[in-house]
Amino acid sequence: MRDVVGIPWGFVLEMHGWWHVGSALGVYYFIVLVEYLRLCLVTGGGGESLTLEWKSALSLPRLKMQDTKTE
C-alpha cells in the first residue's frame, strides 16, 4: 500500500513506527505520573504547592512547583 500512495503519505502507513511513538508517549506519561505521586508523598504540603498541568489529551503534561510561603 505504501508503494501505491507514495511519499509522503507512505510514512503515515508505517504502523511499526507509530507504535514506537505511542509507546514513547505512554512511558513519558507514566514517568510524569509516578514523579507527581512521589513528590506529593515527599512534600506532604510543606509550604510548596505541586500541580500537574495537562491542558489536553494531545499535549504533554508537566509538573509545576510554586512556593506558597508568605513572608
Side-chain angles (χ1 to χ4, degrees):
M1 185 62 158
R2 286 182 291 148
D3 293 336
V4 174
V5 295
I7 294 176
W9 295 107
F11 293 116
V12 175
L13 299 174
E14 187 66 45
M15 294 302 165
H16 184 78
W18 286 112
W19 181 84
H20 281 284
V21 170
S23 296
L25 285 173
V27 168
Y28 177 76
Y29 293 157
F30 179 75
I31 289 172
V32 169
L33 176 66
V34 167
E35 186 70 15
Y36 174 70
L37 294 174
R38 186 185 71 81
L39 287 173
C40 282
L41 289 173
V42 169
T43 58
E48 293 178 344
S49 174
L50 180 66
T51 58
L52 177 64
E53 292 183 353
W54 199 343
K55 296 182 182 185
S56 73
L58 299 177
S59 67
L60 293 176
R62 68 183 201 131
L63 296 175
K64 186 176 183 182
M65 291 186 79
Q66 296 177 346
D67 190 14
T68 58
K69 291 181 182 178
T70 57
E71 295 183 32

